[in-house]
Amino acid sequence: MSNEAGGAPFNPRDGLQAPFRDGREGRSMSNANVTFAPRGSSLAQGPPPGSFSSDLRSMTLPRAGTPRTEKGPFFADYGRRDVEKTSEERQTELREQLNKEIKIKVGSENLLDALVSKNNRQTKEQRLRVEAELGSSHRKIIELRGQLEEEIGRSKRPKTPPRNRLSGMFQSSPARSPQKNDQNMQDDMLATEESESPTYVLSEILQALENEGMQSDYYVDGANRLVSLFKKYPALKYDLAWPVFGLRIQTMLLSQSREVVAAGYRVTRHAIADRRSLQTIRGLKTDELVVLSLVKESKANIEREQALKFVRAFLDVKGGIHEISNSVLRTIVSIAEHHEDRLRSLSILTLLEVLVRSPSMAVTVGGMAPLTEALLDGSYQGSESLASAMLYLFDRPSTRVYLKSGHELDAAFAIFTDPMAVHSNEEKLKSSARLISSLMTSWSGLFVLANDGFQAIRGLLQSLAYPSLIARDLTLDIISAVLQIKAPSWSSSFLAGRRLTTYGRVANLTKDNLEAPSPLTSEEEGQDRVCLTEHYTALLLVVLLQSGLQQALSDLIQEDVECAIGRKAALLHGEMLNLANRLLPYSFCSNLYMAPELMGPVGSETADTSLPHIAMIYQADSVSRTLYRSQASAKDSSGSKWQHKQQHTSSTRIVDPSKPEVDYDMDEARFRAAIVETQILNHVKYVKWNWDLIEDLIEGPLKNPKRLSEAITGTKFLKRLLGFYRPFKYRFSDASNTKANQRYVRVGVSLMKALLQSSEGITHLSESKFLRQLGECLAQLDRTSGLTSLAPLFSSWRTSETLTGGYFALLGALSSNPKGLEMIERWHMVNIFYHLIDLHDRDDLVELLLGNMDFTLDSHLRVMLSKALTACQKHIRIFSTKLLRQYATLVPDSVDGVYCPSSVCEWAIRLLATQLYDPEVEVSEAAVQILEESCNQKSRLEYLVRCRPQLDHLNEIGAPLLLRFLSTSLGYQYLDRLDYITQEMDDWYLGRNYSYVTLVEASLTRALSMPPQDDSRSSINEPLRPREYGTLPPNFYRELTHTKEGCDLLRESGHFDGFVRTITQLSADHEDSEGSMKLKGALWAVGNIGSMELGAPFLEESDVVEWIVQIAESSEVTTMRGTAFFVLGLISRSLHGMEIISEHGWNAAMDQYGRSSGYCLPPTLGNLFMIKRPHDNKAGVRNMARRDLRPRPITDKEPVHARVLSFVVDAGNAVLAKKAANDLNGIKGRHPEAFSSVDLYHKVRDVLGSHNFRLPVRRFILDLFDRSVMRNVVLDEEESENESIRTQRPPQARPRLT
């Protein structure tokens, strides 16, 4: 396929350029022995050819050896170019230096964090050196960033075209003009092409290519100009005069210069417009030329690569695959079979695309053999794509016959089941592991592995008994990956053998749960969310359990319970039991929870040996119970995401459970002792203060009004602590913005909240200089305040490199309290905030301000946010819109003793409804996604409907939100008045239901192929709509059946009866792709309707469930069975639907409350996976045998030609190849005129196109013919016209078969 980027202006330096040649090779398109290097490289040996670069140029020294001194201009220019680096090179160097300084900064921060926790006296000097190094890194990073921005800006400015480097190489040639004149000619040429008609420019270029006897770079430049012209004017290729254009192409492809031939292929590839143009191009005899180019040796890789790209361009045209001849495909097959060839990977990829688009063509030319070999030996990096192609063939009966045995993919398990092969093939093991994972996470792959009762999976699990550490580890990783098991945060400690109850481990589990709050979940949302991935995981878990997973894990645990593999198996065993408890019906998991293999006979002689196993099970169970309690307590204490705003960051302090907690009701003596222990009263330097104890005191005793009063009046503790945060003290404001120093911000926020909890604390804070100085510093940025400063505190540098930005977090803590808001307004900070919003050059400051303020209270801050939502720049409007998410999805609850009313959510929803009319689509899309998430609760959805938003202008962006409106009666009435429902129903019934099928299948495929990810980003920075691949997208019919009015409309429309008819009529259709799409669309529609309690009665009125069960158990299309399987899971979500599928023998999983989980399984797996295998289809095998019949032998009346054809056929036999090569060389010596015959060449070509030959054999056979033969074949010249030329040529060296 083409890798060229379209639409770029022509640059003579960006194209294919000829190599440097001295005067002895400077006449015409002569032979050249060259190497190639990318643009801008030196004259040294470049990277190997075969890279997919659109810039084809070659630069090397003359074959004469050392360059002569008279070619001074070129070498002077070459040296100057080495000194003068390009802008890209300078940017790369700056980025490397910047990355290096960032790594130094991160390392210094980590080291400083470690030194702070140690004894100050011992680490004082080291800490000072680290701080100095950290400051130096800050300065260097700022300087490098400035240089990089300046360099990027400089590169974007228009500049004079660079001097052509290669033009100096030909300065001494008489056929070339001086370099300056050549550059002026190129500039004039470019200007002419810009001003004149493209048709006129095309005719001029083609006329220029008629000149003969020019150097290679002349033709290459012309070809590059043609490519640039086709890129700039794509419609030009439709108006080509092929008689003239084709002759120029043929002349270039017949050139003896590899660069000219490569340029010819490149031009021809860009001239392809449609299938008719492909037929015209094939009429130019390009098939013979492509075959000749592909069989050349590796030194012609630039020509071979362009020839293969030219063939791949056929695949981009509709129906173009049928224009690829068998001779070309068999040549590509021979390249794919040649392991040492650099184009092998691209050839395999080409055969793979041919196999998917036309399996019969790939099988006819023998393409399955190299694909299967590449799949098994693990040498091809894209083994998953190979497996996907073969699974695509396995899906339908018509293509399943091309997999002759049906066991092609089972061989991926061979290396795991061979004890002798697992020790020295680590890379092959990893490649096979990836392939096995892709097979087990594909519906068709699961059918492939179901052969012989899942014998391949049984063998994989039995391989856990082999004493190979890497094979065992990879097998356990495969099981974890296919079951979508995410390793818990404590898994590394558990696998290392450390007890989880030691210092800080179990406490960190609770911390992890709080730091990554899950999105808002409610009962309504849980019922609406349908996870197809978990349904597939339930089926896969049953397959693994019935294949012996539990027994294999138990044996592995018993073998060595203390090693990492044993612990990993125990951890996987526990996760497996949790999955079974959550996903499987009771009939499948009732016998899983007893593990007698781990316990051993109680009271027997082996009881002592079972103690470690019992201890491990007890430890895992203890951790599970601890996690359950922590999650429950977290859910009870904080029912919303609103609590976690600005509280849990990457710098959150880990609490040591071994130390006693500071008591809230601490007595006076202990309180005074604790204040003294903080070192605030003893030291002025804040680095010597005990900040952990300070934070404990603020979070504990200082929340007691009595202790707070004592700290204010009795000691200077609070005065000095608050003085640390005063801006003009330049202590907090000058601290570096490092990970370790974030604790100062955290302590400051806690201090503000603690002071606001009592009247005495409020008085102390209002009378301090902290707020007055902070207001003065903010006023320095306000142009209307009259205060200016040469070095303002909130400059861009200080905000990013110091803790100055932390002042906004402190102001945010004040804004969450009415008294704090009064203090902010007292110092006129709100007016300053309004003016800061208008600073278009300080987006960082605006984001800090908006991101830290608390908008829960109705105040001027909400007006400020409204202004930012409507009047600021685009990215600020997007940021502000995302900021509303935490308020629109807020659960009304009692937080910190302050009741949070539902009016906060309503305020956010009103603002988001306004954002729907933003002129920028990105802002409207963000608002739609947040509103869609907020509407998971019915009360919010109804409030949004009452706002009466208009979403017609958003088209598909607003469609999901409109579908949500259908789930309530109020929304139904609103949409009915807009005449939306009937139009949308017709759209879904006539076409959108089919696109829904594609969306679901793509989502499920992506979810099964992606590893489980842990995303703990904040609510502002995380994606608005989490990519929950594998979750069922919104469906019109599902939302419609939420209400009684919708069910009545569905009954009147007759759509459900239409879906039932489609299912009954098309259930036996296995080959029609359009019919399959209609059937899948009808299945998903019925499943979505039956998943709702109000829609389940539709199922009882017909026998559609029986038809769906029949499709799931007997359809010949594997993906159709998968669709029916998931649809039955949807139906089981409703009570009536669960009863109906239970009547047909299927079992549904239920939770502890007796409600359906939406996961159902057949009574036996054999009913689901019984399907006709390729070897069971006798008719298909006979048809394949007919296709594989060898073609009729090709003979010739002339005896010499007949012998040549016979020996060519023998050359395809590995046993007779050497003798046939000697015989052909003998005929070449005795009858050289035979290999100048065009007729013999055509017959040999037919033999090569109908048989499989190794690549060296093809090269050997084609090299036997005289070079003039190809010219006669392509240009249809008579042999007699070239007889005299052949007699004058010296005899060619005989080719050798290697």
Side-chain angles (χ1 to χ4, degrees):
M1 296 182 183
S2 177
N3 294 333
E4 304 293 337
F10 171 73
N11 190 335
R13 295 183 57 82
D14 290 343
L16 177 66
Q17 297 191 3
F20 173 78
R21 296 182 178 86
D22 58 7
R24 292 176 296 176
E25 297 181 318
R27 289 187 295 274
S28 63
M29 300 182 186
S30 58
N31 295 330
N33 185 12
V34 296
T35 57
F36 302 91
R39 180 178 57 181
S41 62
S42 66
L43 294 180
Q45 181 68 29
S51 60
F52 303 103
S53 171
S54 60
D55 299 330
L56 307 176
R57 61 169 23 178
S58 56
M59 294 177 292
T60 185
L61 289 173
R63 286 189 294 177
T66 307
R68 301 177 182 177
T69 56
E70 58 265 27
K71 298 182 180 181
F74 161 69
F75 286 99
D77 182 67
Y78 173 70
R80 184 165 58 254
R81 291 284 299 180
D82 277 346
V83 176
E84 299 176 0
K85 299 179 180 179
T86 63
S87 177
E88 291 79 3
E89 293 174 346
R90 288 193 294 269
Q91 292 180 27
T92 302
E93 291 184 359
L94 289 174
R95 287 191 177 95
E96 291 177 353
Q97 296 177 14
L98 184 60
N99 293 334
K100 180 179 178 181
E101 293 298 331
I102 290 175
K103 291 179 181 178
I104 294 175
K105 175 186 174 183
V106 173
S108 301
E109 290 176 351
N110 295 335
L111 180 58
L112 186 61
D113 192 11
L115 293 176
V116 168
S117 60
K118 295 183 179 180
N119 193 331
N120 293 333
R121 296 181 180 179
Q122 298 178 358
T123 61
K124 179 179 179 181
E125 295 182 359
Q126 189 175 4
R127 188 171 65 252
L128 292 176
R129 290 197 299 269
V130 173
E131 290 178 351
E133 182 65 27
L134 190 59
S136 176
S137 298
H138 283 316
R139 291 189 294 272
K140 290 182 180 179
I141 289 173
I142 295 171
E143 181 181 355
L144 290 172
R145 283 176 177 170
Q147 294 178 4
L148 182 60
E149 292 177 359
E150 183 180 355
E151 185 62 38
I152 293 174
R154 187 185 301 115
S155 65
K156 294 180 179 179
R157 302 190 194 109
K159 54 187 178 182
T160 306
R163 182 182 180 184
N164 195 339
R165 175 179 167 186
L166 290 181
S167 58
M169 301 171 66
F170 302 97
Q171 193 169 6
S172 60
S173 175
R176 300 281 296 181
S177 59
Q179 186 175 19
K180 181 176 180 181
N181 296 334
D182 182 68
Q183 183 66 37
N184 293 335
M185 180 184 66
Q186 291 177 356
D187 295 341
D188 296 340
M189 191 182 304
L190 286 174
T192 302
E193 292 179 5
E194 291 290 339
S195 59
E196 295 180 348
S197 168
T199 307
Y200 180 77
V201 175
L202 175 64
S203 61
E204 277 196 340
I205 297 175
L206 293 178
Q207 186 177 0
L209 290 176
E210 293 180 1
N211 298 330
E212 297 181 359
M214 306 299 291
Q215 292 187 2
S216 300
D217 66 313
Y218 175 84
Y219 302 98
V220 172
D221 289 341
N224 289 334
R225 292 173 60 197
L226 281 176
V227 171
S228 300
L229 197 64
F230 287 144
K231 287 181 181 180
K232 190 171 183 180
Y233 304 101
L236 192 61
K237 65 183 70 173
Y238 294 95
D239 301 326
L240 288 175
W242 278 103
V244 179
F245 183 79
L247 182 60
R248 301 284 80 76
I249 294 300
Q250 287 178 322
T251 305
M252 295 182 69
L253 295 180
L254 288 171
S255 171
Q256 298 300 317
S257 172
R258 290 189 288 270
E259 295 76 30
V260 176
V261 177
Y265 283 124
R266 185 165 176 250
V267 171
T268 311
R269 171 159 53 93
H270 283 83
I272 295 175
D274 48 22
R275 186 173 179 178
R276 186 176 179 180
S277 65
L278 290 179
Q279 296 171 351
T280 304
I281 291 174
R282 289 192 64 193
L284 301 176
K285 306 298 178 61
T286 54
D287 290 348
E288 290 82 357
L289 293 167
V290 168
V291 170
L292 185 63
S293 297
L294 290 177
V295 300
K296 289 186 177 180
E297 297 180 352
S298 58
K299 62 183 180 181
N301 266 346
I302 188 69
E303 177 183 342
R304 300 176 68 229
E305 177 184 331
Q306 288 300 316
L308 190 53
K309 283 185 176 182
F310 168 69
V311 177
R312 287 178 56 80
F314 282 47
L315 301 175
D316 295 335
V317 179
K318 183 179 180 180
I321 187 173
H322 301 293
E323 300 299 330
I324 304 178
S325 64
N326 284 350
S327 59
V328 174
L329 284 179
R330 288 188 184 273
T331 306
I332 296 176
V333 169
S334 64
I335 298 175
E337 292 174 341
H338 198 60
H339 290 267
E340 292 78 15
D341 200 292
R342 291 178 178 176
L343 296 182
R344 179 173 181 257
S345 296
L346 187 58
S347 300
I348 291 175
L349 181 61
T350 305
L351 291 176
L352 191 62
E353 296 186 23
V354 173
L355 178 65
V356 173
R357 298 177 185 224
S358 180
S360 59
M361 289 183 62
V363 174
T364 301
V365 300
M368 289 296 295
L371 293 180
T372 305
E373 182 183 2
L375 184 67
L376 299 183
D377 61 15
S379 59
Y380 183 63
Q381 297 297 325
S383 58
E384 294 89 343
S385 59
L386 281 173
S388 300
M390 294 187 179
L391 293 178
Y392 173 79
L393 299 183
F394 190 85
D395 183 36
R396 294 181 179 275
S398 59
T399 57
R400 198 175 301 150
V401 295
Y402 296 107
L403 300 174
K404 296 183 180 180
S405 66
H407 294 274
E408 287 84 356
L409 296 171
D410 291 353
F413 295 80
I415 190 170
F416 284 91
T417 57
D418 186 1
M420 305 302 296
V422 297
H423 296 286
S424 58
N425 296 291
E426 182 175 347
E427 291 300 326
K428 189 175 181 180
L429 275 171
K430 293 180 179 179
S431 177
S432 298
R434 293 192 299 268
L435 179 57
I436 292 172
S437 297
S438 64
L439 290 178
M440 297 180 69
T441 53
S442 169
W443 190 259
S444 299
L446 207 53
F447 273 87
V448 171
L449 300 179
N451 201 6
D452 299 330
F454 296 98
Q455 184 59 39
I457 296 180
R458 293 179 186 273
L460 177 67
L461 296 177
Q462 291 171 2
S463 67
L464 289 173
Y466 299 151
S468 174
L469 184 63
I470 180 65
R472 287 178 169 181
D473 189 62
L474 285 175
T475 302
L476 295 179
D477 288 341
I478 291 173
I479 298 171
S480 300
V482 299
L483 293 179
Q484 299 285 313
I485 294 176
K486 184 177 65 174
S489 59
W490 45 270
S491 60
S492 58
S493 301
F494 182 76
L495 297 179
R498 295 191 291 270
R499 292 189 60 189
L500 298 179
T501 54
T502 56
Y503 167 70
R505 303 201 189 280
V506 177
N508 292 345
L509 304 184
T510 306
K511 167 185 169 291
D512 292 340
N513 294 334
L514 292 176
E515 283 187 351
S518 61
L520 174 65
T521 58
S522 63
E523 184 178 353
E524 298 173 2
E525 181 184 7
Q527 293 176 355
D528 289 339
R529 184 178 180 273
V530 180
C531 186
L532 302 179
T533 310
E534 292 186 349
H535 195 185
Y536 183 85
T537 302
L539 176 63
L540 191 57
L541 180 58
V542 172
V543 171
L544 290 172
L545 289 174
Q546 295 189 2
S547 301
L549 174 61
Q550 187 178 24
Q551 183 64 41
L553 293 178
S554 300
D555 294 341
L556 192 57
I557 295 172
Q558 285 185 11
E559 180 179 337
D560 192 355
V561 72
E562 296 298 334
C563 69
I565 290 295
R567 288 179 168 270
K568 191 172 186 177
L571 184 60
L572 182 58
H573 188 275
E575 296 289 345
M576 177 200 68
L577 294 179
N578 289 334
L579 274 180
N581 181 50
R582 184 167 56 90
L583 302 179
L584 298 186
Y586 180 76
S587 58
F588 283 89
C589 59
S590 56
N591 298 325
L592 294 179
Y593 303 110
M594 297 181 294
E597 300 87 354
L598 299 181
M599 298 298 183
V602 179
S604 63
E605 296 179 357
T606 61
D608 294 339
T609 60
S610 297
L611 289 179
H613 311 313
I614 299 173
M616 176 171 290
I617 294 175
Y618 173 78
Q619 186 179 21
D621 180 67
S622 176
V623 171
S624 298
R625 286 187 281 108
T626 303
L627 278 174
Y628 177 79
R629 288 195 301 266
S630 64
Q631 291 172 355
S633 61
K635 183 177 179 180
D636 293 338
S637 61
S638 58
S640 67
K641 295 188 296 183
W642 177 71
Q643 275 188 314
H644 302 284
K645 188 187 73 168
Q646 299 294 337
Q647 290 184 9
H648 301 283
T649 61
S650 60
S651 60
T652 303
R653 181 169 61 99
I654 298 175
V655 180
D656 186 358
S658 61
K659 295 182 179 181
E661 295 184 0
V662 181
D663 190 8
Y664 173 82
D665 296 325
M666 183 182 295
D667 57 27
E668 182 179 355
R670 290 175 55 198
F671 179 66
R672 287 184 175 273
I675 289 179
V676 173
E677 191 177 349
T678 60
Q679 303 298 323
I680 289 182
L681 303 178
N682 301 330
H683 296 284
V684 177
K685 294 183 178 181
Y686 63 90
V687 294
K688 295 184 178 182
W689 296 352
N690 189 344
W691 287 96
D692 292 340
L693 182 57
I694 294 173
E695 185 174 3
D696 291 337
L697 288 175
I698 295 174
E699 295 291 342
L702 287 182
K703 290 185 178 180
N704 188 337
K706 184 176 181 181
R707 298 281 84 86
L708 181 62
S709 176
E710 183 179 345
I712 294 174
T713 59
T715 65
K716 294 185 179 181
F717 173 78
L718 278 180
K719 181 180 179 182
R720 291 191 177 182
L721 182 59
L722 197 58
F724 165 73
Y725 292 97
R726 284 165 54 183
F728 293 154
K729 290 254 184 172
Y730 293 104
R731 304 170 77 184
F732 174 80
S733 57
D734 272 1
S736 301
N737 187 12
T738 62
K739 180 180 178 180
N741 289 347
Q742 289 299 318
R743 58 180 178 177
Y744 303 142
V745 181
R746 187 174 63 251
V747 171
V749 171
S750 300
L751 178 61
M752 296 296 109
K753 292 183 178 180
L755 292 176
L756 291 174
Q757 290 183 3
S758 67
S759 58
E760 194 166 355
I762 294 173
T763 302
H764 180 73
L765 182 60
S766 60
E767 293 178 352
S768 67
K769 298 180 181 179
F770 167 71
L771 291 176
R772 180 175 62 83
Q773 293 183 4
L774 185 57
E776 183 178 346
C777 294
L778 288 172
Q780 295 173 358
L781 302 174
D782 186 1
R783 298 185 179 93
T784 63
S785 65
L787 297 178
T788 58
S789 175
L790 296 178
L793 187 71
F794 290 96
S795 62
S796 299
W797 180 86
R798 294 184 65 90
T799 303
S800 61
E801 301 301 328
T802 67
L803 293 182
T804 303
Y807 282 117
F808 290 100
L810 274 61
L811 291 174
L814 294 176
S815 65
S816 63
N817 188 283
K819 296 295 183 181
L821 279 174
E822 291 179 3
M823 296 183 203
I824 293 176
E825 294 175 356
R826 175 188 174 187
W827 296 106
H828 306 286
M829 292 187 192
V830 176
N831 296 336
I832 299 175
F833 292 163
Y834 279 121
H835 297 150
L836 291 181
I837 295 295
D838 296 330
L839 296 178
H840 297 298
D841 57 340
R842 291 301 308 274
D843 295 337
D844 58 331
L845 209 61
V846 176
E847 291 185 0
L848 276 173
L849 173 62
L850 298 175
N852 286 280
M853 291 298 108
D854 193 319
F855 301 98
T856 306
L857 300 177
D858 189 4
S859 63
H860 283 283
L861 296 180
R862 289 189 177 183
V863 182
M864 177 189 70
L865 180 60
S866 301
K867 179 180 179 181
L869 287 168
T870 55
C872 288
Q873 299 178 2
K874 173 184 173 181
H875 57 279
I876 296 296
R877 300 202 307 273
I878 295 177
F879 178 83
S880 304
T881 305
K882 292 180 179 180
L883 193 64
L884 290 172
R885 180 187 189 186
Q886 56 188 321
Y887 301 100
T889 58
L890 181 64
V891 175
D893 199 357
S894 178
V895 180
D896 292 337
V898 179
Y899 181 73
C900 178
S902 59
S903 59
V904 178
C905 302
E906 296 175 356
W907 161 77
I909 290 174
R910 288 196 304 271
L911 290 182
L912 289 170
T914 305
Q915 294 303 98
L916 296 174
Y917 311 107
D918 193 278
E920 296 292 341
V921 179
E922 292 86 348
V923 180
S924 302
E925 184 177 6
V928 168
Q929 295 176 9
I930 298 173
L931 288 173
E932 185 182 355
E933 182 181 354
S934 176
C935 290
N936 288 326
Q937 282 196 351
K938 184 177 180 180
S939 58
R940 299 177 189 163
L941 177 57
E942 292 180 347
Y943 181 79
L944 178 60
V945 173
R946 286 194 293 269
C947 293
R948 305 175 65 84
Q950 298 293 330
L951 299 174
D952 296 341
H953 63 288
L954 296 179
N955 298 326
E956 293 297 328
I957 296 177
L961 190 57
L962 288 175
L963 288 181
R964 287 296 184 95
F965 288 3
L966 286 174
S967 59
T968 63
S969 298
L970 184 63
Y972 180 90
Q973 297 170 7
Y974 170 67
L975 295 178
D976 189 35
R977 288 193 296 270
L978 298 177
D979 198 21
Y980 167 82
I981 300 177
T982 54
Q983 295 180 8
E984 191 72 8
M985 177 179 284
D986 293 339
D987 290 343
W988 275 81
Y989 187 74
L990 296 176
R992 193 173 297 180
N993 211 27
Y994 309 138
S995 60
Y996 181 81
V997 175
T998 305
L999 179 62
V1000 173
E1001 292 182 350
S1003 175
L1004 183 60
T1005 303
R1006 180 71 178 271
L1008 293 176
S1009 61
M1010 286 173 51
Q1013 297 179 353
D1014 182 18
D1015 191 3
S1016 58
R1017 289 172 288 186
S1018 65
S1019 60
I1020 299 178
N1021 296 325
E1022 67 179 312
L1024 288 176
R1025 179 181 294 164
R1027 289 290 183 181
E1028 294 184 354
Y1029 296 106
T1031 302
L1032 195 66
N1035 185 278
F1036 174 81
Y1037 294 100
R1038 177 181 173 84
E1039 301 297 335
L1040 190 65
T1041 50
H1042 271 86
T1043 60
K1044 185 177 181 301
E1045 297 90 342
C1047 292
D1048 294 339
L1049 179 63
L1050 180 61
R1051 192 178 304 275
E1052 294 173 2
S1053 65
H1055 286 189
F1056 185 83
D1057 297 333
F1059 293 139
V1060 174
R1061 287 193 301 271
T1062 301
I1063 293 175
T1064 55
Q1065 294 173 3
L1066 300 179
S1067 60
D1069 189 2
H1070 307 311
E1071 303 302 333
D1072 185 13
S1073 58
E1074 184 178 354
S1076 297
M1077 185 65 68
K1078 291 182 179 179
L1079 178 57
K1080 290 180 180 179
L1083 287 172
W1084 283 116
V1086 170
N1088 279 283
I1089 293 172
S1091 64
M1092 305 306 299
E1093 293 294 342
L1094 294 178
F1098 287 91
L1099 304 176
E1100 298 178 346
E1101 299 172 2
S1102 63
D1103 56 350
V1104 65
V1105 176
E1106 181 180 354
W1107 282 97
I1108 297 175
V1109 172
Q1110 182 180 350
I1111 293 173
E1113 295 180 352
S1114 62
S1115 177
E1116 290 297 322
V1117 182
T1118 59
T1119 54
M1120 191 66 68
R1121 287 197 185 192
T1123 302
F1125 171 77
F1126 290 120
V1127 168
L1128 289 174
L1130 272 176
I1131 294 175
S1132 69
R1133 296 181 67 86
S1134 62
L1135 181 60
H1136 294 292
M1138 186 169 56
E1139 294 176 355
I1140 294 175
I1141 67 167
S1142 62
E1143 294 176 359
H1144 292 83
W1146 284 57
N1147 302 314
M1150 294 182 292
D1151 58 12
Q1152 63 270 27
Y1153 302 106
R1155 296 176 301 189
S1156 174
S1157 301
Y1159 314 126
C1160 65
L1161 295 171
T1164 58
L1165 293 180
N1167 297 342
L1168 188 62
F1169 292 105
M1170 186 178 298
I1171 196 170
K1172 288 184 179 180
R1173 304 286 163 177
H1175 51 78
D1176 296 335
N1177 192 346
K1178 303 300 182 182
V1181 173
R1182 287 195 296 269
N1183 292 335
M1184 292 298 298
R1186 294 193 189 99
R1187 292 192 189 99
D1188 292 341
L1189 289 176
R1190 301 184 67 84
R1192 185 175 57 185
I1194 300 175
T1195 59
D1196 196 290
K1197 295 181 180 179
E1198 188 175 347
V1200 176
H1201 291 185
R1203 291 180 59 195
V1204 170
L1205 292 174
S1206 176
F1207 291 141
V1208 168
V1209 174
D1210 292 342
N1213 190 324
V1215 178
L1216 304 176
K1218 188 172 183 180
K1219 181 178 181 302
N1222 293 331
D1223 294 338
L1224 287 172
N1225 277 325
I1227 296 177
K1228 173 77 171 178
R1230 294 188 300 270
H1231 305 282
E1233 69 281 356
F1235 293 95
S1236 299
S1237 171
V1238 175
D1239 182 62
L1240 179 61
Y1241 175 84
H1242 284 304
K1243 293 185 177 181
V1244 170
R1245 179 202 61 187
D1246 294 339
V1247 172
L1248 294 178
S1250 58
H1251 296 75
N1252 286 336
F1253 293 85
R1254 293 185 299 113
L1255 183 63
V1257 175
R1258 288 181 178 273
R1259 182 185 306 123
F1260 166 77
I1261 294 174
L1262 291 177
D1263 286 346
L1264 290 171
F1265 287 89
D1266 192 80
R1267 294 175 180 173
S1268 61
V1269 175
M1270 183 57 65
R1271 185 176 185 87
N1272 295 336
V1273 170
V1274 174
L1275 299 180
D1276 294 329
E1277 296 179 353
E1278 296 294 335
E1279 298 184 29
S1280 58
E1281 296 179 2
N1282 297 286
E1283 186 67 30
S1284 60
I1285 300 178
R1286 287 198 300 267
T1287 56
Q1288 295 176 4
R1289 286 179 179 171
Q1292 299 179 5
R1294 295 183 182 179
R1296 293 185 300 172
L1297 179 61
T1298 57

